[in-house]
Amino acid sequence: MAPIDVSRRVHTQESPHKVRMVDWFRKNFWAVATIITVTVVCAIIVKVFKKPGQMSVLESQAMDMSVMVPPKGAVPVGIARVERGHIEGSVTYTGSVQAYLDEDVYPRVTGRVVAMPVYPGDRVARGQLLVQLDPADNSEYLAKLDEAKYAEDAAMHNAGIAKEEFDQRWYELTARKEAEEAARKVVDEVKANLAYWKPEVERQKVLLQAKVVSLEEYQRESSELRAAQAKLEQTEAKLREATNTRLAAQAAFDAMVHHVGHNYAAAKQAKAVARNAAIYEKYTRLVAHDDAVVTKRIISPGVVVNPGMLILKLAHVRQVRVQAQVASEDVEQIRLGSKVYIKAAEQSRNEVVASVTSIFPAADPVTRTLTVEALIDNVFPDAVSVSKQVRTVGQYKFLPGQYVVMRIVTGENEGLIIPASAVIWREGKPQAWKAVSYGPYNGATQYQCPMHPDVTLDKPGKCPKCSMDLVPKQIGGQKIAQLVDVEIGLSSPDKTEIVSGLKEGDEVVFAGYARLQPGMSVVGSQWGRNGPVQLPLASDVSGKRYRKW
């Protein structure tokens, strides 16, 4: 038997596996070569064309972004110059509008509300119907008015008749007085005749005794005396009769005077009753006494109301009272006649200029404030254009209860002026941020990587970790902020007077100082309502990165 070759046998056993590997490699050689080539090329491309700071997916996932610190730079702020000019000091308060006169509408008679043609918010004119009680043509008070008018007519008729009787009695009394006077004259005439015959008879009697005259002559004259005496008695009787007749006529006249007076008094009473009835009938129509605005309606039509029951509330607003609760320290600077600028809102362009008409002499016990009032005409002129809006006739500027902004003038002066927002208060003292210029500093500064703060160099370059450009730790402006104490004078919403602490030409920060610290670098920016209109450009701070602290 021939000997066995062990090495050959092992080779024979392993050859199938190796053969398969060699065959697979031969078949996939170009594929493997292609993969290796693409991998090498990609690595070269990434290395050559990779941007500074650009990281792979794994690098970005492993990166801690919290360590990224932006470089410190200049704070953009609003800067204004201290200037000399005119300032009108004022204080601003929120006020309220009160009606010049509040009117409560009450009925004065009992009745059912049949009409109420007004509603809250309606504007009513003088004499306009507000409330109608009971039907106008079928009212209890209208019937009473008619009855009173008829009674007045009857009383006036009776008074007229009495007046006619009074005239008749007057004529009769006048006639009796004249008759009495005529009888008295006759009596006087008879007395004069009797006075003649008495001494004549006595003389004849003496002459008869002396036998100068005859008895017949004496007797004839004696008969004349007796006739004169008889006539005197007759005329005196007629005089007494005329006097009694006159007295009767006088009594009748006096009675007629009382009768006429009674009738006229009754007529006046009837007239008063008629007038009263007319007033009561008028009370069924409640009308506006002046131009006003309906502010509240208490009841609705159909309700039976009694005297004293509140029906409507009106506000007379042709003039209104604008009032503000002002602190006592501000009231000390306000005088009667001081100007007041009134607006419906802070942003409103329509402003009413008025004057202080009253400062209440007592403070509110709760708020410790005093009421300052301005009385204004509240009606726009006819066809006047206000802020391009044409107002109609009778339209009001303000309505009762409306809140307004009142700027009350406390004085005027010429002095140094800065924006009011530039003044800040710390511990009760006014201060201002002053923007001070400084010169360049030629020393060195440090540069660091914004992605890797631990990478710091003394000169510009690239980060060895991410190849990003290193930036200065400090990027400053031309000015630094300094906090200075100031003394202020008059102040208005947009301006403040500086008495001391600043001089003309200084620059102050009026906006953007919320987080400002003394010595921080600032750069002026155009400032709008919501912040800087545009942030500073690189050119605004380039070349200004070195500064001396």
Side-chain angles (χ1 to χ4, degrees):
M1 175 179 284
I4 300 174
D5 190 352
V6 178
S7 60
R8 183 177 179 81
R9 186 177 58 184
V10 173
H11 177 73
T12 304
Q13 293 177 351
E14 294 178 355
S15 59
H17 177 69
K18 290 182 177 180
V19 170
R20 287 195 298 270
M21 290 293 291
V22 171
D23 291 342
W24 179 86
F25 185 76
R26 287 176 178 175
K27 291 179 180 179
N28 297 285
F29 173 78
W30 292 107
V32 173
T34 303
I35 292 174
I36 294 173
T37 303
V38 170
T39 303
V40 172
V41 171
C42 288
I44 295 172
I45 292 174
V46 170
K47 185 65 176 177
V48 174
F49 296 99
K50 181 181 179 182
K51 296 180 179 179
Q54 186 175 0
M55 294 179 290
S56 64
V57 176
L58 295 178
E59 289 176 335
S60 64
Q61 292 178 350
M63 181 64 187
D64 186 4
M65 298 299 293
S66 63
V67 301
M68 183 177 177
V69 179
K72 296 180 181 179
V75 179
V77 294
I79 296 179
R81 188 178 298 274
V82 180
E83 298 177 346
R84 184 172 297 276
H86 177 80
I87 183 171
E88 188 178 65
S90 63
V91 291
T92 302
Y93 284 88
T94 299
S96 61
V97 180
Q98 304 290 336
Y100 179 74
L101 180 65
D102 291 316
E103 179 183 356
D104 294 336
V105 180
Y106 295 91
R108 303 179 70 171
V109 295
T110 301
R112 178 175 177 272
V113 178
V114 296
M116 187 181 292
V118 293
Y119 200 76
D122 291 348
R123 295 173 173 84
V124 296
R126 181 184 182 91
Q128 181 176 337
L129 177 66
L130 302 176
V131 180
Q132 175 66 55
L133 301 179
D134 297 333
D137 57 347
N138 187 18
S139 169
E140 170 189 357
Y141 299 100
L142 182 61
K144 290 182 178 180
L145 175 61
D146 293 339
E147 179 183 358
K149 286 183 177 180
Y150 295 148
E152 179 188 4
D153 293 340
M156 291 301 295
H157 178 70
N158 293 334
I161 295 176
K163 180 62 171 59
E164 294 178 356
E165 293 179 355
F166 171 84
D167 293 339
Q168 182 179 356
R169 293 290 186 269
W170 167 256
Y171 295 142
E172 289 179 357
L173 176 61
T174 302
R176 294 297 180 267
K177 286 182 177 180
E178 292 176 352
E180 181 185 15
E181 186 64 24
R184 181 173 287 107
K185 289 180 179 181
V186 172
V187 170
D188 292 340
E189 181 180 354
V190 171
K191 285 183 176 180
N193 187 34
L194 180 62
Y196 169 78
W197 288 112
K198 279 186 177 181
E200 183 65 21
V201 171
E202 290 296 330
R203 188 176 66 83
Q204 290 294 332
K205 184 176 180 181
V206 173
L207 294 176
L208 178 63
Q209 292 176 354
K211 297 182 180 181
V212 176
V213 294
S214 64
L215 179 62
E216 182 180 1
E217 290 177 343
Y218 171 74
Q219 290 177 347
R220 187 171 57 250
E221 291 187 359
S222 296
S223 63
E224 290 289 340
L225 176 62
R226 288 192 295 271
Q229 290 177 342
K231 191 172 182 180
L232 176 61
E233 292 176 358
Q234 181 181 5
T235 55
E236 286 180 346
K238 290 183 178 181
L239 176 60
R240 287 192 295 271
E241 180 182 1
T243 299
N244 292 333
T245 304
R246 192 263 304 169
L247 292 175
Q250 182 69 51
F253 176 77
D254 293 339
M256 184 54 61
V257 169
H258 290 292
H259 181 62
V260 170
H262 176 74
N263 279 273
Y264 272 94
K268 289 181 179 180
Q269 182 180 5
K271 187 175 182 179
V273 172
R275 185 166 58 249
N276 192 36
I279 293 174
Y280 268 71
E281 195 276 333
K282 185 179 179 181
Y283 286 162
T284 62
R285 288 176 50 86
L286 280 68
V287 298
H289 298 296
D290 201 353
D291 295 348
V293 174
V294 180
T295 58
K296 192 172 183 180
R297 192 170 78 170
I298 310 302
I299 64 172
S300 299
V303 177
V304 176
V305 295
N306 296 316
M309 182 183 295
L310 182 60
I311 298 178
L312 290 172
K313 283 182 172 290
L314 303 180
H316 296 243
V317 292
R318 292 185 65 86
Q319 286 184 314
V320 292
R321 307 177 188 272
V322 185
Q323 299 176 347
Q325 301 298 321
V326 180
S328 57
E329 57 268 21
D330 290 334
V331 171
E332 294 177 357
Q333 307 177 53
I334 300 173
R335 300 289 182 269
L336 292 178
S338 297
K339 285 185 180 179
V340 183
Y341 299 93
I342 305 170
K343 297 191 293 185
E346 187 65 37
Q347 296 78 20
S348 176
R349 296 182 180 179
N350 298 335
E351 190 173 60
V352 176
V353 181
S355 299
V356 174
T357 56
S358 178
I359 301 176
F360 287 20
D364 188 293
V366 177
T367 62
R368 305 301 179 185
T369 57
L370 288 89
T371 301
V372 176
E373 178 181 280
L375 182 64
I376 64 172
D377 292 329
N378 197 38
V379 180
F380 282 108
D382 298 354
V384 171
S385 177
V386 180
S387 294
K388 300 181 181 179
Q389 297 179 0
V390 178
R391 303 290 186 178
T392 57
V393 176
Q395 190 168 3
Y396 302 118
K397 302 172 185 176
F398 304 107
L399 293 177
Q402 181 179 356
Y403 282 98
V404 294
V405 177
M406 299 177 63
R407 184 165 66 89
I408 308 172
V409 175
T410 56
E412 298 183 27
N413 197 12
E414 294 285 340
L416 297 180
I417 300 172
I418 64 172
S421 59
V423 179
I424 60 175
W425 292 84
R426 293 190 177 185
E427 298 180 355
K429 297 181 179 179
Q431 295 178 321
W433 285 104
K434 183 179 178 181
V436 182
S437 301
Y438 59 84
Y441 177 68
N442 295 326
T445 188
Q446 289 185 331
Y447 295 82
Q448 70 177 165
C449 177
M451 296 294 295
H452 302 90
D454 56 314
V455 178
T456 304
L457 298 177
D458 294 333
K459 61 181 179 179
K462 293 184 178 295
C463 177
K465 294 183 178 181
C466 62
S467 300
M468 290 186 66
D469 291 334
L470 302 181
V471 297
K473 283 187 177 181
Q474 304 287 345
I475 301 178
Q478 287 183 324
K479 298 178 176 64
I480 60 173
Q482 290 183 354
L483 191 61
V484 297
D485 294 330
V486 296
E487 182 181 352
I488 64 174
L490 297 177
S491 182
S492 67
D494 56 346
K495 297 178 182 179
T496 297
E497 180 188 11
I498 297 298
V499 178
S500 63
L502 294 171
K503 64 180 182 298
E504 188 174 359
D506 287 346
E507 292 183 328
V508 293
V509 179
F510 68 88
Y513 50 72
R515 298 184 179 181
L516 205 59
Q517 296 294 330
M520 291 185 65
S521 180
V522 294
V523 58
S525 301
Q526 184 180 357
W527 211 264
R529 179 175 296 178
N530 300 320
V533 176
Q534 182 178 0
L535 291 174
L537 303 176
S539 59
D540 296 331
V541 294
S542 62
K544 308 167 187 175
R545 298 178 176 177
Y546 304 99
R547 62 182 176 81
K548 186 176 182 180
W549 292 91

